[in-house]
Amino acid sequence: MATSSLVCNTSELAFLSSAIGNGGAAQFICGKLQNAAMQGAATTLAVDNTYLLFSAYLVFAMQLGFAMLCAGSVRAKNTMNIMLTNVLDAATGGLSYYLFGFGFAFGRTESGNNGFIGHFFFGLKDIPSASANMDYSFFLFQWAFAIAAAGITSGSIAERTQFVSYLIYSFFLTGFVYPVVSHWLWSVDGWLSASKPDHVLFGSGAIDFAGSGVVHMVGGIAGFWGAFIEGPRIGRYDSNGRSQRLKGHSATLVVLGTFLLWFGWYGFNPGSFLKISVRYADPFKGNWSGVGRTAVTTMLAGSTAGVTTLFGKRILSGHWNVLDVCNGLLGGFAAITAGCAVVDPWASIICGFVSAWVLMGLNALADKFHFDDPLEAAQLHGGCGAWGLLFVGLFANQNYVQETYGRMGATPHGFLLGGGGKLLAAQVIETLVIAAWVTVTMGPLFLILHKFNLLRISPEDELHGMDLTRHGGFAYYHADESSFHPQGKLEMSVLEQKPNNAHSIM
């Protein structure tokens, strides 16, 4: 936090005032200086908190982008269902993060802190906190990140998951699983944190500035286990194992959702500076210049990934596909999120280019092994998020690391820029421990739900569509007639189809 540098020395002013024959001048001038210092500090806090709140609003607007993207990517008969899950990701996540999540993520006292999990500020007790330098704006910003992770997971298990499962996993993910990871990386006590004041891992800590690992990998890997345990949707693969693409019903909504997410990412990444009024050694530079650079690297990575996907899919499939381009864009954004503040703009182009091929490669593997993710969320957020963490270890600029994390002197930075292997090693460790943590927490949860028949809907519900069977009717006036007789009964030949639970664990 920037504070005023005004200093009042009463004895010196007393000497000066006696010399000019005015004994009350010292107290008067000291009072004015102290008032000015307090006003300057209050103004700095107001500016920083306003910036943080504005960023929080942008990140929250990404929920609308997720909702539109998800709605357009599923079939019309499941639109109401996926929209409701997106609304409840925010609402359920709001309650769980307020009650437990924020405390697990950032709760700290003056003594007894640990690197694994926080243990204070539950239910926002003692917030605002001057000692921890936290106000309500910080909570709101972090809540918007937490529900983004839950939204990622909901896309992976769309069109075949019982509604009660959404409520259970969303509460658990935002209230416990995600907060523990964010404590590791973003709390000053976290054992992986690059912001830790001392005993930093490998002298660098793991740099995950806005959450390629904390948000995207957590949501993507959770979605992977949910989709893997449930198995593919009915009709996704035929009796011979051939892929049958179940297209979403609205490319328009997908494009709208993509642009909304792109817009929100300018709060997600630049907003992660938290404060904009911090000055650097160069008086012309401060967090305001870092914010601008971060917005530029974000834009370049996403744009490069989108264009690369456009031509890559043209080569692979022979088509110019706007839906693939949208996912490519989002993959580039997910990848650059970790290093957006500490890499050069030219390096972000490399990040976006590689992320496009990571996504296309993982999609090919998913199809080969009959893994069905309607939004490619596990591949996009999990795979591209992991690449983003490794990218930081290769291309982090030393000057930007020093400015962003307030370090003096030489510090570990990108391996390919002569910074040694310490930062890269920390990034590898972050990637592995996040994958392991989400696996051992969310995997068993989905297994338990599966064992108690709370995870997947019935074949009849899946063929009719959950809008009709679970939510009172279709989102649109027309029905998806592929699964209906005019009398409203299922075709026997369709009903006899069984879910291809090649990946289900009985």
Side-chain angles (χ1 to χ4, degrees), residues 347-408:
S348 67
I349 294 176
I350 298 174
C351 178
F353 178 81
V354 175
S355 70
W357 291 104
V358 168
L359 179 58
M360 287 186 281
L362 290 176
N363 284 338
L365 283 175
D367 204 36
K368 178 179 176 62
F369 291 100
H370 292 187
F371 175 77
D372 182 22
D373 183 329
L375 276 89
E376 302 176 4
Q379 302 94 291
L380 192 161
H381 297 278
C384 294
W387 153 242
L389 294 180
L390 301 179
F391 165 76
V392 177
L394 297 173
F395 288 98
N397 181 301
Q398 180 174 227
N399 290 333
Y400 299 153
V401 173
Q402 291 170 335
E403 292 172 351
T404 303
Y405 291 94
R407 296 178 183 172
M408 302 295 292

Side-chain angles (χ1 to χ4, degrees), residues 148-158 166 169 173 218-220 222-224 377 442 446:
I152 292 167
T153 305
S154 66
S156 294
I157 56 179
Y166 284 109
Y169 94 76
L173 183 66
V218 168
F224 168 80
M442 295 301 295
F446 283 122

Side-chain angles (χ1 to χ4, degrees), residues 167-416:
L167 297 177
I168 294 172
Y169 94 76
S170 182
F171 193 91
F172 184 61
L173 183 66
T174 55
F176 179 66
V177 178
Y178 165 85
V180 170
V181 178
S182 59
H183 182 81
W184 296 348
L185 275 303
W186 291 343
S187 170
V188 294
D189 305 312
W191 69 277
L192 276 171
S193 177
S195 301
K196 198 173 182 181
D198 54 16
H199 306 295
V200 183
L201 181 68
F202 301 143
S204 68
I207 294 178
D208 191 1
F209 184 74
S212 289
V214 175
V215 178
H216 295 284
M217 276 193 69
V218 168
I221 294 173
F224 168 80
W225 285 112
F228 179 83
I229 291 169
E230 281 192 299
R233 293 165 290 173
I234 294 174
R236 180 66 177 86
Y237 298 95
D238 65 19
S239 57
N240 295 317
R242 290 190 295 261
S243 174
Q244 307 294 320
R245 186 169 185 178
L246 304 179
K247 294 183 179 180
H249 80 280
S250 176
T252 302
L253 289 178
V254 172
V255 173
L256 174 62
T258 300
F259 273 115
L260 287 169
L261 288 169
W262 188 337
F263 177 67
W265 237 293
Y266 291 127
F268 204 94
N269 286 2
S272 292
F273 274 93
L274 306 181
K275 301 173 183 178
I276 197 169
S277 60
V278 177
R279 293 185 302 170
Y280 300 155
D282 183 339
F284 182 73
K285 294 181 179 180
N287 272 7
W288 54 86
S289 51
V291 164
R293 183 181 65 250
T294 298
V296 170
T297 58
T298 300
M299 178 275 293
L300 288 174
S303 299
T304 303
V307 173
T308 302
T309 304
L310 173 70
F311 288 98
K313 293 297 288 187
R314 170 67 175 176
I315 295 170
L316 295 173
S317 67
H319 300 289
W320 306 102
N321 193 320
V322 66
L323 303 181
D324 290 328
V325 172
C326 287
N327 275 349
L329 274 165
L330 298 178
F333 291 143
I336 195 59
T337 295
C340 54
V342 297
V343 300
D344 291 286
W346 62 264
S348 67
I349 294 176
I350 298 174
C351 178
F353 178 81
V354 175
S355 70
W357 291 104
V358 168
L359 179 58
M360 287 186 281
L362 290 176
N363 284 338
L365 283 175
D367 204 36
K368 178 179 176 62
F369 291 100
H370 292 187
F371 175 77
D372 182 22
D373 183 329
L375 276 89
E376 302 176 4
Q379 302 94 291
L380 192 161
H381 297 278
C384 294
W387 153 242
L389 294 180
L390 301 179
F391 165 76
V392 177
L394 297 173
F395 288 98
N397 181 301
Q398 180 174 227
N399 290 333
Y400 299 153
V401 173
Q402 291 170 335
E403 292 172 351
T404 303
Y405 291 94
R407 296 178 183 172
M408 302 295 292
T411 185
H413 54 284
F415 177 76
L416 296 181

Side-chain angles (χ1 to χ4, degrees), residues 126-138:
D126 296 325
I127 293 292
S129 170
S131 61
N133 195 23
M134 293 180 191
D135 208 336
Y136 291 114
S137 55
F138 182 71

